[in-house]
Amino acid sequence: MSNNPKFFKDVSIIHNLNFHSDHKMVRAALTGIPMKRTRKYLINNSRIVCTGESEALSANLKLLAKNQHFNKDLSIEEKYNKFIQILKEATRKTNTEDNRAISKQTQELLQERKNLIKGKEDKYKISEISKKINEQIRKDRKIKRDNTMKKHIEKTGGIKKAIKELTVKKDWMPKVKTDKNNYTCKRPEILELATDYYKKLYKSNKSGRA
């Protein structure tokens, strides 16, 4: 992967993974230069989104607010932080939607296969349960896709946001250091630099051999 071994550290092999395969996974930590990004604003509190019923949220807020006593001596910031804490707790109790793509049945099958691998059961049992896991994962993905489509159609009347949520993004490399010790963000130049790098990397340094 690289002609400079200093880029790699803590290289190790991961054993006993919950995968039905004879291959071993290699894990390593890479050293690099962190990319600096300028941000005008910094918001510590993430968005609080309620996916449940508004009536249930209102009832939970009233119950929590009733049990909490706001001291008059508290500052505005302390009152605000306390209110945010109440709002988060009420929203968490109201939200019943599970955003995980894997169902409980699939998790049980994965745990069962993990126990079989640990118990060194025969490969036939592991192979059979692996087929069931693959089939169940396909069903889970279809259910999640249908539920996501339904949610956005009912909310906005379209599927544009649903497709955006379901699409797995692959970001391009934002910038690359050139031979002149500066950086470029242009995609054609990045592709050219990457091509030249791998040409030099895989070029043989030994002469006289085919």
Side-chain angles (χ1 to χ4, degrees):
M1 293 177 65
S2 173
N3 59 353
N4 193 341
K6 293 182 180 180
F7 289 161
F8 294 84
K9 61 179 182 179
D10 299 333
V11 180
S12 60
I13 298 175
I14 305 176
H15 298 282
N16 298 326
L17 283 175
N18 192 5
F19 292 104
H20 180 50
S21 174
D22 295 333
H23 297 281
K24 298 292 184 182
M25 184 176 288
V26 178
R27 174 175 57 191
L30 300 178
T31 59
I33 302 173
M35 184 180 65
K36 294 182 180 180
R37 294 183 179 180
T38 57
R39 297 181 65 184
K40 293 183 180 180
Y41 305 102
L42 179 61
I43 301 175
N44 292 326
N45 290 323
S46 58
R47 291 181 59 197
I48 303 173
V49 181
C50 178
T51 58
E53 296 181 358
S54 57
E55 295 180 358
L57 176 62
S58 178
N60 288 330
L61 279 173
K62 289 179 181 179
L63 182 62
L64 289 171
K66 185 178 180 180
N67 296 330
Q68 293 289 337
H69 299 284
F70 287 89
N71 193 345
K72 295 181 179 180
D73 298 332
L74 293 177
S75 64
I76 296 177
E77 185 178 358
E78 290 173 335
K79 290 181 180 178
Y80 171 78
N81 292 333
K82 201 168 186 179
F83 173 74
I84 291 296
Q85 183 181 357
I86 293 173
L87 185 59
K88 285 182 177 180
E89 187 175 350
T91 308
R92 179 178 56 80
K93 291 182 178 180
T94 307
N95 293 345
T96 56
E97 181 182 355
D98 193 354
N99 293 323
R100 292 177 297 181
I102 298 179
S103 64
K104 186 178 180 180
Q105 184 178 357
T106 307
Q107 293 177 19
E108 291 175 355
L109 288 172
L110 287 168
Q111 184 62 39
E112 185 178 349
R113 185 176 67 178
K114 186 176 181 180
N115 295 334
L116 289 174
I117 293 174
K118 284 184 177 180
K120 297 181 179 180
E121 296 286 343
D122 56 75
K123 293 184 179 180
Y124 177 76
K125 289 184 179 180
I126 298 174
S127 178
E128 288 297 316
I129 197 171
S130 295
K131 291 178 182 178
K132 292 181 181 179
I133 290 172
N134 293 334
E135 184 180 352
Q136 188 63 39
I137 287 176
R138 286 194 293 269
K139 290 181 180 179
D140 293 343
R141 287 176 177 173
K142 186 179 184 301
I143 292 172
K144 180 175 175 59
R145 180 179 177 82
D146 293 343
N147 291 338
T148 304
M149 289 288 185
K150 181 181 178 181
K151 178 183 71 175
H152 287 284
I153 288 172
E154 292 176 349
K155 189 175 182 180
T156 64
I159 61 172
K160 186 176 180 180
K161 290 187 177 180
I163 294 173
K164 185 177 180 181
E165 182 179 333
L166 293 169
T167 302
V168 180
K169 293 180 65 177
K170 293 183 179 180
D171 296 328
W172 281 78
M173 189 178 295
K175 64 178 181 179
V176 172
K177 192 173 183 180
T178 64
D179 296 335
K180 297 179 181 179
N181 206 22
N182 56 7
Y183 291 90
T184 178
C185 298
K186 297 179 180 179
R187 189 170 298 177
E189 294 180 2
I190 291 175
L191 291 173
E192 185 179 355
L193 287 169
T195 303
D196 293 339
Y197 170 79
Y198 283 106
K199 280 183 178 179
K200 293 177 182 178
L201 179 63
Y202 292 109
K203 186 177 180 181
S204 177
N205 295 324
K206 299 179 181 179
S207 59
R209 294 185 179 181

